[in-house]
């Protein structure tokens, strides 16, 4: 009888250990996986900080020479920051691979027209530059607005763990807001180089006042509130910027 009890006890302990190992494997798999990129396309976010007295001159010089740059890779959008940061311009460039970006940079560095007509003149106008490599999230595609308007770049710093941890809740919050037709979703991007666990959501509105009224309506929508409440449990911080498209921006 004692032998039977001992055998059962060992079997129970072994079963418990196997279950624990399986749970650990599942946890590791959960943390290390999630929605994966299916291609190499990425988007480079570039922010230039301009000397206050040089903003107009910078935009004029860029408009006159941007064709030299767009001849080499696709420009998604080019905006000046109206609210959320002064004396800044924000750009999004699309690349099919890191090799393409490297080739573009090397080619531009050897282009005397680009270097002399633009780079040498624009650098003294800047105080600093910043860039970030992002991917479009797998459940989103770029949507171009129907007409000219303003854009809001909402940036969310999520808790560590990646999309496998917070992706589903974040997707639900964004999708619920978009489905309610409060504003048009242009794209959702997650960081690859720069601060990790960062997600950018680009929205379009007809004008700033329209955005203000829409925000008030959304805050009273139980569907949006419930979805946002779930996602904020994974949120560390957030900030936003209101962007005005420049005359030479493809996204107007």
């Amino acid at each position: 009888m004692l032998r039977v009890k001992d055998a059962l006890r060992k079997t129970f302990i072994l079963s418990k250990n196997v279950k624990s190992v399986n749970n650990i494997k599942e946890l590791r798999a959960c943390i290390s996986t999630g929605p994966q990129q299916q291609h190499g396309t990425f988007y480079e976010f570039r922010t230039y900080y301009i000397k206050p007295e040089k903003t107009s001159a910078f935009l004029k010089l860029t408009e006159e020479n941007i064709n030299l740059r767009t001849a080499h890779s696709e420009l998604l959008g080019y905006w000046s920051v109206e609210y959320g940061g002064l004396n800044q311009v924000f750009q999004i460039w699309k690349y099919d691979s890191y090799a393409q970006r490297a080739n573009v940079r090397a080619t531009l560095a050897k282009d005397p027209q680009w270097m002399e007509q633009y780079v040498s003149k624009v650098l003294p106008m800047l105080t600093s530059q910043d860039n970030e490599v992002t991917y479009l999230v797998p459940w989103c595609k770029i949507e171009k607005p129907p007409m000219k308007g303003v854009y809001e770049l909402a940036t969310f710093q999520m808790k560590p763990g990646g999309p496998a941890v917070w992706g589903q809740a974040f997707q639900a919050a964004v999708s619920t807001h978009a489905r309610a037709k409060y504003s048009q979703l242009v794209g959702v991007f997650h960081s690859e180089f720069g601060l990790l666990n960062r997600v950018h959501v680009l929205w379009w509105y007809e004008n700033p006042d329209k955005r203000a009224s829409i925000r008030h309506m959304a805050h009273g929508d139980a569907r949006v509130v419930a979805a946002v409440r779930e996602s904020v449990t994974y949120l560390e911080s957030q900030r936003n910027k209101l962007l005005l498209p420049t005359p030479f921006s493809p996204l107007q």
Side-chain angles (χ1 to χ4, degrees), residues 200-244:
H200 304 278
V201 184
L202 188 62
W203 299 96
W204 174 88
Y205 299 89
E206 290 182 34
N207 54 60
D209 288 315
K210 189 74 172 178
R211 176 196 174 273
S213 63
I214 284 172
R215 293 282 288 179
H216 285 298
M217 286 189 293
H219 288 166
D221 189 324
R223 299 166 300 171
V224 174
V225 172
V228 170
R229 183 181 293 117
E230 174 65 22
S231 67
V232 296
T233 60
Y234 304 100
L235 181 66
E236 289 193 339
S237 65
Q238 65 183 94
R239 67 169 301 169
N240 65 342
K241 295 180 180 181
L242 189 74
L243 311 174
L244 302 182

CSV table of all heavy atoms in Angstrom, one decimal, residues 200-244:
chain,number,residue,atom,x,y,z
A,200,HIS,N,3.2,54.6,-32.8
A,200,HIS,CA,2.7,55.9,-33.4
A,200,HIS,C,1.4,55.7,-34.1
A,200,HIS,O,1.4,54.8,-35.0
A,200,HIS,CB,3.7,56.5,-34.3
A,200,HIS,CG,5.1,56.7,-33.7
A,200,HIS,ND1,5.4,57.8,-32.9
A,200,HIS,CD2,6.2,55.9,-33.8
A,200,HIS,CE1,6.7,57.7,-32.5
A,200,HIS,NE2,7.2,56.6,-33.0
A,201,VAL,N,0.4,56.5,-33.9
A,201,VAL,CA,-0.8,56.4,-34.6
A,201,VAL,C,-1.0,57.8,-35.3
A,201,VAL,O,-1.0,58.8,-34.7
A,201,VAL,CB,-2.0,56.1,-33.7
A,201,VAL,CG1,-3.3,56.0,-34.5
A,201,VAL,CG2,-1.8,54.9,-32.9
A,202,LEU,N,-1.2,57.7,-36.6
A,202,LEU,CA,-1.3,58.9,-37.4
A,202,LEU,C,-2.8,59.1,-37.9
A,202,LEU,O,-3.3,58.2,-38.6
A,202,LEU,CB,-0.4,58.9,-38.7
A,202,LEU,CG,-0.3,60.1,-39.5
A,202,LEU,CD1,0.3,61.3,-38.7
A,202,LEU,CD2,0.5,59.9,-40.8
A,203,TRP,N,-3.5,60.1,-37.4
A,203,TRP,CA,-4.9,60.4,-37.7
A,203,TRP,C,-5.0,61.6,-38.6
A,203,TRP,O,-4.1,62.5,-38.5
A,203,TRP,CB,-5.7,60.7,-36.4
A,203,TRP,CG,-5.7,59.6,-35.4
A,203,TRP,CD1,-4.9,59.4,-34.3
A,203,TRP,CD2,-6.6,58.4,-35.4
A,203,TRP,NE1,-5.2,58.3,-33.6
A,203,TRP,CE2,-6.3,57.6,-34.2
A,203,TRP,CE3,-7.6,58.0,-36.2
A,203,TRP,CZ2,-7.0,56.5,-33.9
A,203,TRP,CZ3,-8.3,56.8,-35.9
A,203,TRP,CH2,-8.0,56.1,-34.8
A,204,TRP,N,-6.1,61.7,-39.3
A,204,TRP,CA,-6.4,62.8,-40.2
A,204,TRP,C,-7.7,63.5,-39.7
A,204,TRP,O,-8.7,62.8,-39.4
A,204,TRP,CB,-6.5,62.4,-41.6
A,204,TRP,CG,-7.0,63.5,-42.5
A,204,TRP,CD1,-6.2,64.5,-43.2
A,204,TRP,CD2,-8.3,63.8,-42.9
A,204,TRP,NE1,-6.9,65.3,-43.9
A,204,TRP,CE2,-8.3,65.0,-43.8
A,204,TRP,CE3,-9.5,63.3,-42.6
A,204,TRP,CZ2,-9.4,65.5,-44.3
A,204,TRP,CZ3,-10.7,63.8,-43.2
A,204,TRP,CH2,-10.6,65.0,-44.0
A,205,TYR,N,-7.7,64.8,-39.7
A,205,TYR,CA,-9.0,65.6,-39.4
A,205,TYR,C,-9.1,66.7,-40.5
A,205,TYR,O,-8.1,67.2,-41.0
A,205,TYR,CB,-8.9,66.2,-38.0
A,205,TYR,CG,-8.8,65.2,-36.9
A,205,TYR,CD1,-7.5,64.8,-36.5
A,205,TYR,CD2,-9.9,64.7,-36.3
A,205,TYR,CE1,-7.4,63.9,-35.4
A,205,TYR,CE2,-9.8,63.8,-35.2
A,205,TYR,CZ,-8.5,63.4,-34.8
A,205,TYR,OH,-8.4,62.5,-33.8
A,206,GLU,N,-10.3,67.2,-40.6
A,206,GLU,CA,-10.5,68.3,-41.6
A,206,GLU,C,-9.8,69.6,-41.1
A,206,GLU,O,-9.3,70.3,-41.9
A,206,GLU,CB,-12.0,68.5,-41.7
A,206,GLU,CG,-12.8,67.4,-42.5
A,206,GLU,CD,-14.2,67.7,-42.7
A,206,GLU,OE1,-14.6,68.9,-42.8
A,206,GLU,OE2,-15.1,66.8,-42.6
A,207,ASN,N,-9.9,69.8,-39.8
A,207,ASN,CA,-9.2,71.0,-39.3
A,207,ASN,C,-9.1,70.8,-37.7
A,207,ASN,O,-9.7,69.9,-37.2
A,207,ASN,CB,-10.0,72.3,-39.6
A,207,ASN,CG,-11.5,72.2,-39.2
A,207,ASN,OD1,-11.8,72.0,-38.0
A,207,ASN,ND2,-12.4,72.3,-40.2
A,208,PRO,N,-8.4,71.7,-37.1
A,208,PRO,CA,-8.2,71.6,-35.6
A,208,PRO,C,-9.5,71.6,-34.8
A,208,PRO,O,-9.7,70.9,-33.8
A,208,PRO,CB,-7.3,72.7,-35.2
A,208,PRO,CG,-6.5,73.0,-36.5
A,208,PRO,CD,-7.5,72.8,-37.6
A,209,ASP,N,-10.4,72.5,-35.2
A,209,ASP,CA,-11.7,72.6,-34.5
A,209,ASP,C,-12.5,71.3,-34.6
A,209,ASP,O,-13.2,70.9,-33.7
A,209,ASP,CB,-12.5,73.8,-35.0
A,209,ASP,CG,-11.9,75.1,-34.5
A,209,ASP,OD1,-11.5,75.2,-33.3
A,209,ASP,OD2,-11.7,76.0,-35.4
A,210,LYS,N,-12.5,70.7,-35.8
A,210,LYS,CA,-13.2,69.4,-36.0
A,210,LYS,C,-12.6,68.4,-35.1
A,210,LYS,O,-13.3,67.6,-34.5
A,210,LYS,CB,-13.0,69.0,-37.4
A,210,LYS,CG,-13.9,67.8,-37.8
A,210,LYS,CD,-15.4,68.2,-38.0
A,210,LYS,CE,-16.2,67.1,-38.5
A,210,LYS,NZ,-17.6,67.4,-38.6
A,211,ARG,N,-11.3,68.4,-34.9
A,211,ARG,CA,-10.6,67.4,-34.0
A,211,ARG,C,-11.1,67.6,-32.6
A,211,ARG,O,-11.4,66.7,-31.9
A,211,ARG,CB,-9.1,67.6,-34.1
A,211,ARG,CG,-8.4,66.6,-33.1
A,211,ARG,CD,-7.0,67.0,-32.8
A,211,ARG,NE,-6.4,66.2,-31.8
A,211,ARG,CZ,-6.5,66.5,-30.5
A,211,ARG,NH1,-7.2,67.6,-30.1
A,211,ARG,NH2,-6.0,65.7,-29.6
A,212,ALA,N,-11.2,68.9,-32.2
A,212,ALA,CA,-11.6,69.2,-30.8
A,212,ALA,C,-13.0,68.7,-30.5
A,212,ALA,O,-13.3,68.1,-29.5
A,212,ALA,CB,-11.5,70.7,-30.5
A,213,SER,N,-13.9,68.9,-31.5
A,213,SER,CA,-15.3,68.5,-31.2
A,213,SER,C,-15.4,66.9,-31.3
A,213,SER,O,-16.2,66.3,-30.5
A,213,SER,CB,-16.2,69.1,-32.3
A,213,SER,OG,-15.9,68.6,-33.6
A,214,ILE,N,-14.6,66.3,-32.1
A,214,ILE,CA,-14.7,64.8,-32.3
A,214,ILE,C,-14.1,64.2,-31.0
A,214,ILE,O,-14.6,63.2,-30.5
A,214,ILE,CB,-13.8,64.4,-33.5
A,214,ILE,CG1,-14.6,64.7,-34.8
A,214,ILE,CG2,-13.4,62.9,-33.4
A,214,ILE,CD1,-13.9,64.4,-36.0
A,215,ARG,N,-13.1,64.8,-30.4
A,215,ARG,CA,-12.5,64.3,-29.1
A,215,ARG,C,-13.6,64.3,-28.0
A,215,ARG,O,-13.7,63.3,-27.3
A,215,ARG,CB,-11.3,65.1,-28.7
A,215,ARG,CG,-10.1,65.0,-29.6
A,215,ARG,CD,-9.4,63.8,-29.4
A,215,ARG,NE,-8.6,63.8,-28.1
A,215,ARG,CZ,-7.9,62.8,-27.7
A,215,ARG,NH1,-7.8,61.7,-28.4
A,215,ARG,NH2,-7.2,62.9,-26.5
A,216,HIS,N,-14.4,65.3,-28.0
A,216,HIS,CA,-15.5,65.4,-26.9
A,216,HIS,C,-16.5,64.3,-27.2
A,216,HIS,O,-17.0,63.7,-26.2
A,216,HIS,CB,-16.1,66.8,-27.0
A,216,HIS,CG,-15.3,67.9,-26.4
A,216,HIS,ND1,-14.9,67.9,-25.1
A,216,HIS,CD2,-14.8,69.0,-26.9
A,216,HIS,CE1,-14.2,69.0,-24.8
A,216,HIS,NE2,-14.1,69.7,-25.9
A,217,MET,N,-16.8,64.1,-28.4
A,217,MET,CA,-17.8,63.0,-28.7
A,217,MET,C,-17.3,61.6,-28.4
A,217,MET,O,-18.0,60.8,-27.8
A,217,MET,CB,-18.2,63.1,-30.2
A,217,MET,CG,-19.1,64.2,-30.5
A,217,MET,SD,-19.8,64.1,-32.2
A,217,MET,CE,-18.3,64.3,-33.2
A,218,ALA,N,-16.0,61.4,-28.7
A,218,ALA,CA,-15.4,60.1,-28.5
A,218,ALA,C,-15.3,59.8,-27.0
A,218,ALA,O,-15.5,58.6,-26.6
A,218,ALA,CB,-14.0,60.0,-29.1
A,219,HIS,N,-15.0,60.8,-26.2
A,219,HIS,CA,-14.9,60.6,-24.7
A,219,HIS,C,-16.2,60.2,-24.1
A,219,HIS,O,-16.2,59.7,-23.0
A,219,HIS,CB,-14.4,61.9,-24.1
A,219,HIS,CG,-12.9,62.1,-24.4
A,219,HIS,ND1,-12.3,63.3,-24.2
A,219,HIS,CD2,-12.0,61.3,-24.9
A,219,HIS,CE1,-11.0,63.3,-24.5
A,219,HIS,NE2,-10.8,62.0,-25.0
A,220,GLY,N,-17.3,60.4,-24.8
A,220,GLY,CA,-18.6,60.1,-24.3
A,220,GLY,C,-19.2,58.8,-24.9
A,220,GLY,O,-20.3,58.4,-24.5
A,221,ASP,N,-18.4,58.1,-25.7
A,221,ASP,CA,-18.8,56.9,-26.4
A,221,ASP,C,-18.3,55.7,-25.5
A,221,ASP,O,-17.1,55.5,-25.4
A,221,ASP,CB,-18.2,56.8,-27.8
A,221,ASP,CG,-18.7,55.6,-28.6
A,221,ASP,OD1,-19.0,54.6,-28.0
A,221,ASP,OD2,-18.8,55.8,-29.8
A,222,ALA,N,-19.3,54.9,-25.0
A,222,ALA,CA,-19.0,53.8,-24.1
A,222,ALA,C,-18.1,52.8,-24.8
A,222,ALA,O,-17.2,52.2,-24.1
A,222,ALA,CB,-20.2,53.2,-23.6
A,223,ARG,N,-18.2,52.6,-26.1
A,223,ARG,CA,-17.4,51.6,-26.8
A,223,ARG,C,-15.9,52.0,-26.8
A,223,ARG,O,-15.0,51.2,-26.5
A,223,ARG,CB,-17.9,51.4,-28.2
A,223,ARG,CG,-19.3,50.9,-28.4
A,223,ARG,CD,-19.8,51.1,-29.8
A,223,ARG,NE,-19.8,52.5,-30.2
A,223,ARG,CZ,-20.0,53.0,-31.4
A,223,ARG,NH1,-20.2,52.1,-32.4
A,223,ARG,NH2,-19.9,54.3,-31.7
A,224,VAL,N,-15.7,53.3,-27.1
A,224,VAL,CA,-14.3,53.8,-27.1
A,224,VAL,C,-13.7,53.8,-25.8
A,224,VAL,O,-12.6,53.4,-25.6
A,224,VAL,CB,-14.3,55.2,-27.8
A,224,VAL,CG1,-12.9,55.8,-27.7
A,224,VAL,CG2,-14.8,55.2,-29.2
A,225,VAL,N,-14.5,54.3,-24.8
A,225,VAL,CA,-14.0,54.4,-23.4
A,225,VAL,C,-13.6,53.0,-22.9
A,225,VAL,O,-12.5,52.8,-22.3
A,225,VAL,CB,-15.1,55.0,-22.5
A,225,VAL,CG1,-14.6,54.9,-21.0
A,225,VAL,CG2,-15.3,56.4,-22.9
A,226,ALA,N,-14.4,52.0,-23.1
A,226,ALA,CA,-14.1,50.6,-22.7
A,226,ALA,C,-12.8,50.1,-23.3
A,226,ALA,O,-12.0,49.5,-22.7
A,226,ALA,CB,-15.3,49.7,-23.0
A,227,ALA,N,-12.7,50.3,-24.6
A,227,ALA,CA,-11.5,49.8,-25.3
A,227,ALA,C,-10.2,50.5,-24.9
A,227,ALA,O,-9.2,49.9,-24.7
A,227,ALA,CB,-11.7,50.0,-26.8
A,228,VAL,N,-10.3,51.8,-24.7
A,228,VAL,CA,-9.2,52.6,-24.2
A,228,VAL,C,-8.8,52.2,-22.8
A,228,VAL,O,-7.6,52.1,-22.5
A,228,VAL,CB,-9.5,54.1,-24.3
A,228,VAL,CG1,-8.4,54.9,-23.6
A,228,VAL,CG2,-9.6,54.5,-25.7
A,229,ARG,N,-9.8,52.0,-21.9
A,229,ARG,CA,-9.5,51.6,-20.5
A,229,ARG,C,-8.7,50.3,-20.5
A,229,ARG,O,-7.8,50.2,-19.6
A,229,ARG,CB,-10.8,51.4,-19.8
A,229,ARG,CG,-10.6,51.1,-18.3
A,229,ARG,CD,-11.9,50.9,-17.6
A,229,ARG,NE,-12.7,52.1,-17.5
A,229,ARG,CZ,-13.9,52.3,-18.0
A,229,ARG,NH1,-14.5,51.4,-18.7
A,229,ARG,NH2,-14.5,53.5,-17.9
A,230,GLU,N,-9.0,49.4,-21.4
A,230,GLU,CA,-8.2,48.1,-21.4
A,230,GLU,C,-6.8,48.3,-21.8
A,230,GLU,O,-5.8,47.8,-21.3
A,230,GLU,CB,-8.9,47.1,-22.3
A,230,GLU,CG,-8.2,45.8,-22.6
A,230,GLU,CD,-8.0,45.0,-21.3
A,230,GLU,OE1,-8.8,45.1,-20.4
A,230,GLU,OE2,-7.1,44.1,-21.3
A,231,SER,N,-6.6,49.2,-22.9
A,231,SER,CA,-5.3,49.4,-23.4
A,231,SER,C,-4.4,50.2,-22.5
A,231,SER,O,-3.1,50.0,-22.5
A,231,SER,CB,-5.3,50.1,-24.8
A,231,SER,OG,-5.8,51.4,-24.6
A,232,VAL,N,-4.9,51.1,-21.7
A,232,VAL,CA,-4.1,52.0,-20.9
A,232,VAL,C,-3.4,51.2,-19.7
A,232,VAL,O,-2.5,51.7,-19.1
A,232,VAL,CB,-4.9,53.2,-20.3
A,232,VAL,CG1,-5.4,54.1,-21.4
A,232,VAL,CG2,-6.0,52.7,-19.4
A,233,THR,N,-3.9,50.0,-19.4
A,233,THR,CA,-3.2,49.2,-18.4
A,233,THR,C,-1.8,48.8,-18.9
A,233,THR,O,-1.0,48.4,-18.0
A,233,THR,CB,-4.0,47.9,-18.1
A,233,THR,OG1,-4.1,47.1,-19.3
A,233,THR,CG2,-5.4,48.3,-17.6
A,234,TYR,N,-1.5,48.9,-20.2
A,234,TYR,CA,-0.2,48.6,-20.7
A,234,TYR,C,0.6,49.8,-21.1
A,234,TYR,O,1.7,49.7,-21.6
A,234,TYR,CB,-0.4,47.7,-22.0
A,234,TYR,CG,-1.1,46.4,-21.7
A,234,TYR,CD1,-2.5,46.3,-22.1
A,234,TYR,CD2,-0.5,45.3,-21.2
A,234,TYR,CE1,-3.2,45.2,-21.9
A,234,TYR,CE2,-1.3,44.2,-20.9
A,234,TYR,CZ,-2.6,44.1,-21.3
A,234,TYR,OH,-3.3,42.9,-21.1
A,235,LEU,N,0.1,51.0,-20.8
A,235,LEU,CA,0.6,52.2,-21.2
A,235,LEU,C,1.5,52.9,-20.1
A,235,LEU,O,1.2,52.9,-18.9
A,235,LEU,CB,-0.5,53.2,-21.6
A,235,LEU,CG,-0.1,54.6,-22.1
A,235,LEU,CD1,0.6,54.5,-23.4
A,235,LEU,CD2,-1.3,55.5,-22.2
A,236,GLU,N,2.7,53.4,-20.5
A,236,GLU,CA,3.6,54.1,-19.6
A,236,GLU,C,3.5,55.6,-19.8
A,236,GLU,O,3.5,56.3,-18.8
A,236,GLU,CB,5.0,53.6,-19.8
A,236,GLU,CG,5.3,52.2,-19.4
A,236,GLU,CD,6.8,51.9,-19.3
A,236,GLU,OE1,7.6,52.6,-20.0
A,236,GLU,OE2,7.2,51.0,-18.6
A,237,SER,N,3.4,56.1,-21.0
A,237,SER,CA,3.2,57.5,-21.3
A,237,SER,C,2.7,57.7,-22.7
A,237,SER,O,2.8,56.8,-23.5
A,237,SER,CB,4.6,58.2,-21.1
A,237,SER,OG,5.5,57.8,-22.0
A,238,GLN,N,2.3,58.9,-23.0
A,238,GLN,CA,1.9,59.2,-24.3
A,238,GLN,C,2.0,60.7,-24.6
A,238,GLN,O,2.1,61.5,-23.6
A,238,GLN,CB,0.4,58.8,-24.5
A,238,GLN,CG,-0.6,59.6,-23.7
A,238,GLN,CD,-2.0,59.1,-23.9
A,238,GLN,OE1,-2.5,58.2,-23.2
A,238,GLN,NE2,-2.7,59.6,-24.9
A,239,ARG,N,2.1,61.1,-25.8
A,239,ARG,CA,2.2,62.5,-26.2
A,239,ARG,C,1.6,62.6,-27.6
A,239,ARG,O,1.5,61.6,-28.4
A,239,ARG,CB,3.6,63.1,-26.1
A,239,ARG,CG,4.6,62.5,-27.1
A,239,ARG,CD,5.8,63.4,-27.2
A,239,ARG,NE,5.5,64.7,-27.5
A,239,ARG,CZ,6.4,65.7,-27.4
A,239,ARG,NH1,7.6,65.5,-26.9
A,239,ARG,NH2,6.1,67.0,-27.7
A,240,ASN,N,1.2,63.8,-28.0
A,240,ASN,CA,0.8,64.0,-29.4
A,240,ASN,C,1.2,65.3,-30.0
A,240,ASN,O,1.6,66.2,-29.3
A,240,ASN,CB,-0.8,63.9,-29.4
A,240,ASN,CG,-1.5,65.0,-28.7
A,240,ASN,OD1,-0.8,65.7,-27.9
A,240,ASN,ND2,-2.7,65.2,-29.0
A,241,LYS,N,1.2,65.4,-31.3
A,241,LYS,CA,1.5,66.6,-32.0
A,241,LYS,C,0.5,66.8,-33.1
A,241,LYS,O,0.0,65.8,-33.8
A,241,LYS,CB,2.9,66.4,-32.7
A,241,LYS,CG,4.1,66.3,-31.7
A,241,LYS,CD,5.4,66.2,-32.5
A,241,LYS,CE,6.6,66.0,-31.5
A,241,LYS,NZ,7.9,65.9,-32.2
A,242,LEU,N,0.2,68.1,-33.4
A,242,LEU,CA,-0.7,68.4,-34.5
A,242,LEU,C,0.2,68.9,-35.6
A,242,LEU,O,1.0,69.8,-35.4
A,242,LEU,CB,-1.7,69.5,-34.1
A,242,LEU,CG,-2.8,69.8,-35.1
A,242,LEU,CD1,-3.8,68.6,-35.1
A,242,LEU,CD2,-3.5,71.1,-34.9
A,243,LEU,N,0.0,68.2,-36.8
A,243,LEU,CA,0.9,68.4,-37.9
A,243,LEU,C,0.1,69.1,-39.1
A,243,LEU,O,-1.0,68.8,-39.4
A,243,LEU,CB,1.4,67.1,-38.4
A,243,LEU,CG,2.1,66.2,-37.4
A,243,LEU,CD1,2.4,64.8,-38.0
A,243,LEU,CD2,3.3,66.8,-36.7
A,244,LEU,N,0.8,70.1,-39.7
A,244,LEU,CA,0.3,70.8,-40.9
A,244,LEU,C,1.1,70.3,-42.1
A,244,LEU,O,2.3,70.5,-42.1
A,244,LEU,CB,0.4,72.3,-40.7
A,244,LEU,CG,-0.4,72.9,-39.5
A,244,LEU,CD1,-0.2,74.4,-39.5
A,244,LEU,CD2,-1.8,72.5,-39.5
